[in-house]
Amino acid sequence: MNQRTIDFSKPINPKLKIGLLVDSELVPKHLFDLAQWCQAQSTLTISHLIVMDASSPRRRTMTNSLRTSCLSAIHWLETLLLNKYGLKTYNVGQLLDALIPESIRIQMVSDASGHIRTCSGIELDKIKSLKLDVLLMAGSGTLRGEVLNSAALGVISAVHSDENDICGGTTGFWEVFFKHDYTGFAVRLQSNDANDGHEIVSGRMRTHNYYSLNRMHIRQKCLYYVKETLSSIANNRRLPPCFGLMPFKKMTHDVPNLIVQAKYIAALGYRLISRAVRSKLRIDFKWGVAYKKNDWNNLVMETAIKIPNPKNHFLADPFVISESDRDYCFLEDYDYSTQKGHIAVYELHANSAEYLGNALVEPYHLSFPYLFRYKSELYMCPETSRNRQIRVYKCLHFPLQWQLHSVLMDDVSAADTMLFERDGRWWMLTNMDVTETGDYCTELNIYWADSPLSSKWTAHMANPIFIDAAKGRNAGLLFDATHIYRVSQKQSFDFYGKEFSINRIDRLDETAYQETEVRTVPADFFPNTFGAHHMHSNGVVSVFDFLQLNKI
């Protein structure tokens, strides 16, 4: 497609003019927050609110009204339940007229399905007269026709999975109903050339088990990348690269009928009752750790030796290191009574593991104790997202005495950071929670520096490298004679850490990252095993974790 640009030469540095297309002045909170963010920027502004009045041959029947009311009741009930557990969802309508004083109304014409919208004649001239740079589609339906050319750069929309709006009432519902592992989203440039336009950015996150929670998370993810897209356009004065024509997948996005909603409530109720019964019986899915004195390429996982979990604890995220011909495992030791983890150390013998003590305890949760050597010294970079830092600790006396040495990044929400040297540079692979919703599984980011102890890291040009919960989350690092392998997690519906993949790093430099999946490791190596999300090896000993249903 042709690259569209804006001539901003006269006057100097004007703001990007955005027209916001909505169905009503009353919008959900997430859309109000987007408008508020836009109006606070120095490089862009929503100059006009454009309210779409749609005439449609599709009649709103009493049955459709009842479906919508019942779905709203489900959302209300789930919100009460989620708020009880400290998980917030939002659906409060707020008026945009105070934020965007300039507004117009236009008459749209919808097709028989009610999903395709067009306008022409006087209504189209109203939009063109505003001389907008970008139209942001935040109403229901998909635009077609000449309206797509009424702004200099066209019409941008945020798409949840196969829906064509960011306000759809069923956003996030169908993935939960069908128990899909992932829920997709995209930011697209709408086009007459294809059913769903050109993708600017796309990704998928793990599907949550509540419709309301899934909807909130997918909206937050969509809007984050809408902001990134608008900022890029404002700064570069052109559209970001697009990825070609994206076909429409024909998955239904209508409001579910009453039978479907009843099935959804029954399935949700079953999951809630099952969890309540397990809680009463003090049974839960617990991580455990196993090891084998083999290189990872020759590992037979079924023969590995399990390290027993301490009472009321579970073990996970193991890393192994050898010192003075003895093998040691550093791992997360999670205490159910304090609801946080610390870093413990075990010595690995031929047929059993010996607990040596705690290497690192902080007032906040610790996990993923990544170990590396630099200038003959041993360091640890554990996961410290609760403290909003990426930290490196130096070993003072092996294996139990450690001291904070460096803060690599401050005021970031990052997890499962790995540091290694390649081609004369030190590389950081980390998982950022860009939406501040606790999602560390979707985005993989890379940074580089001359030293692993530096506080000045340069972001990779291709960040985020992945926006995909099927491969984004780090799960360990492996080496052979010629290659480095990144281990990554795979997720599943309502389940964290279904299995993991081993990916060969084929290219890593300042401009590109490429990896090839060489192996997927399903959680079928032990009986009663439901998940596996980590592996590490130092060439002498290999360690991994696994998920089983056991007494707490």
Side-chain angles (χ1 to χ4, degrees):
M1 62 174 292
N2 294 329
Q3 182 69 45
R4 299 185 186 180
T5 61
I6 310 172
D7 182 5
F8 281 171
S9 59
K10 297 179 181 181
I12 298 173
N13 295 325
K15 288 187 176 183
L16 184 77
K17 284 182 63 177
I18 303 168
L20 182 63
L21 289 157
V22 295
D23 294 326
S24 166
E25 295 92 340
L26 187 66
V27 297
K29 183 181 183 299
H30 70 283
L31 192 52
F32 182 88
D33 290 344
L34 173 64
Q36 197 170 43
W37 174 86
C38 287
Q39 304 306 66
Q41 303 307 299
S42 61
T43 58
L44 58 89
T45 186
I46 299 177
S47 62
H48 290 83
L49 182 68
I50 304 171
V51 182
M52 299 181 293
D53 295 324
S55 61
S56 171
R58 188 179 187 182
R59 298 175 59 189
R60 184 175 178 84
T61 65
M62 183 177 294
T63 299
N64 289 336
S65 298
L66 185 58
R67 288 181 182 181
T68 302
S69 298
C70 288
L71 192 63
S72 297
I74 290 174
H75 171 73
W76 179 76
L77 289 171
E78 288 188 344
T79 298
L80 291 179
L81 184 61
L82 291 168
N83 288 346
K84 177 181 177 182
Y85 292 104
L87 299 171
K88 300 295 184 181
T89 63
Y90 303 99
N91 197 38
V92 180
Q94 300 191 46
L95 289 170
L96 285 174
D97 52 3
L99 281 177
I100 313 169
E102 297 290 334
S103 65
I104 63 170
R105 304 188 78 91
I106 59 171
Q107 188 68 39
M108 306 293 292
V109 178
S110 299
D111 68 351
S113 71
H115 300 311
I116 304 299
R117 293 184 169 192
T118 60
C119 75
S120 58
I122 296 175
E123 305 302 312
L124 183 61
D125 290 339
K126 287 182 185 179
I127 302 177
K128 289 183 175 180
S129 68
L130 303 178
K131 299 187 182 303
L132 299 168
D133 298 317
V134 175
L135 275 172
L136 180 59
M137 176 60 169
S140 56
T142 299
L143 297 181
R144 290 290 181 266
E146 190 59 28
V147 67
L148 296 179
N149 299 314
S150 59
L153 294 180
V155 180
I156 290 173
S157 63
V159 183
H160 149 253
S161 191
D162 296 298
E163 291 189 342
N164 297 288
D165 61 275
I166 54 176
C167 297
T170 57
T171 295
F173 177 86
W174 291 106
E175 289 84 357
V176 180
F177 180 76
F178 289 116
K179 298 183 179 180
H180 289 175
D181 291 340
Y182 306 102
T183 299
F185 65 92
V187 178
R188 290 177 180 163
L189 177 68
Q190 291 198 6
S191 169
N192 284 313
D193 299 330
N195 286 326
D196 232 8
H198 307 262
E199 283 196 1
I200 297 172
V201 62
S202 64
R204 52 181 179 167
M205 65 173 204
R206 179 170 67 93
T207 301
H208 295 271
N209 61 329
Y210 291 91
Y211 147 59
S212 301
L213 191 61
N214 205 47
R215 179 171 77 170
M216 183 196 75
H217 278 254
I218 200 64
R219 282 176 167 177
Q220 291 297 105
K221 194 71 75 173
C222 278
L223 292 184
Y224 172 83
Y225 285 103
V226 167
K227 293 176 184 178
E228 291 289 293
T229 299
L230 293 177
S231 294
S232 174
I233 294 172
N235 292 330
N236 300 314
R237 307 186 179 193
R238 63 173 61 89
L239 285 171
C242 297
F243 300 108
L245 303 177
M246 305 306 297
F248 187 72
K249 297 180 182 177
K250 300 299 183 185
M251 175 180 168
T252 178
H253 53 83
D254 288 332
V255 176
N257 63 41
L258 299 182
I259 294 176
V260 169
Q261 293 188 44
K263 289 180 178 178
Y264 171 83
I265 293 171
L268 178 62
Y270 175 79
R271 291 196 297 271
L272 293 174
I273 292 171
S274 297
R275 289 183 178 180
V277 170
R278 292 202 305 268
S279 177
K280 188 72 173 177
L281 298 175
R282 292 189 58 79
I283 297 174
D284 198 5
F285 291 100
K286 294 179 63 176
W287 291 101
V289 168
Y291 70 94
K292 185 72 174 179
K293 298 215 170 185
N294 278 110
D295 187 16
W296 65 274
N297 267 317
N298 301 307
L299 176 64
V300 180
M301 299 177 75
E302 292 86 343
T303 63
I305 300 165
K306 296 180 182 179
I307 302 176
N309 281 338
K311 186 177 181 180
N312 207 39
H313 289 234
F314 71 69
L315 307 178
D317 293 350
F319 286 91
V320 67
I321 190 169
S322 298
E323 284 281 323
S324 303
D325 296 324
R326 298 165 70 179
D327 302 317
Y328 300 87
C329 182
F330 288 71
L331 45 71
E332 172 194 352
D333 185 342
Y334 183 88
D335 186 342
Y336 281 97
S337 63
T338 62
Q339 295 188 348
K340 68 182 183 73
H342 56 268
I343 307 305
V345 185
Y346 286 76
E347 183 173 357
L348 305 180
H349 302 296
N351 297 303
S352 64
E354 177 187 357
Y355 171 70
L356 299 182
N358 295 331
L360 202 58
V361 179
E362 295 283 13
Y364 43 85
H365 176 75
L366 298 174
S367 63
F368 203 84
Y370 181 82
L371 302 168
F372 66 95
R373 296 185 189 275
Y374 179 63
K375 293 184 176 180
S376 302
E377 300 285 354
L378 180 62
Y379 296 90
M380 181 198 305
C381 182
E383 188 262 296
T384 56
S385 61
R386 299 283 178 86
N387 197 45
R388 297 191 61 81
Q389 290 180 330
I390 298 178
R391 292 180 150 206
V392 168
Y393 294 79
K394 182 178 180 180
C395 184
L396 301 180
H397 188 272
F398 188 84
L400 299 180
Q401 291 185 20
W402 297 77
Q403 184 180 70
L404 178 64
H405 184 280
S406 306
V407 176
L408 308 190
M409 291 188 183
D410 202 6
D411 195 26
V412 294
S413 185
D416 297 358
T417 301
M418 303 189 298
L419 306 163
F420 60 92
E421 188 177 15
R422 178 182 168 114
D423 298 331
R425 291 200 186 278
W426 277 87
W427 299 92
M428 175 194 293
L429 276 61
T430 190
N431 298 117
M432 295 285 189
D433 173 22
V434 296
T435 55
E436 302 287 344
T437 56
D439 175 16
Y440 298 100
C441 295
T442 303
E443 282 89 358
L444 173 67
N445 286 272
I446 296 179
Y447 301 84
W448 56 269
D450 293 330
S451 163
L453 308 179
S454 173
S455 60
K456 297 180 180 179
W457 290 81
T458 301
H460 197 281
M461 290 179 59
N463 277 349
I465 303 300
F466 299 131
I467 313 173
D468 189 351
K471 59 182 177 181
R473 184 78 179 250
N474 289 328
L477 204 65
L478 301 171
F479 298 83
D480 64 18
T482 55
H483 293 98
I484 303 173
Y485 299 81
R486 186 182 74 96
V487 187
S488 62
Q489 295 180 10
K490 292 180 181 290
Q491 316 301 334
S492 63
F493 172 73
D494 192 27
F495 214 84
Y496 165 65
K498 173 186 176 183
E499 57 191 18
F500 61 82
S501 295
I502 299 173
N503 311 282
R504 184 184 64 243
I505 298 177
D506 298 319
R507 180 180 176 185
L508 175 57
D509 54 42
E510 291 85 348
T511 61
Y513 176 84
Q514 295 175 355
E515 67 178 29
T516 301
E517 182 178 315
V518 297
R519 190 180 307 172
T520 295
V521 181
D524 59 1
F525 39 83
F526 293 146
N528 185 38
T529 299
F530 298 90
H533 77 347
H534 186 95
M535 172 178 275
H536 182 249
S537 176
N538 66 347
V540 178
V541 182
S542 298
V543 288
F544 57 91
D545 62 15
F546 56 92
L547 189 68
Q548 294 185 323
L549 193 60
N550 288 314
K551 279 277 190 181
I552 295 176

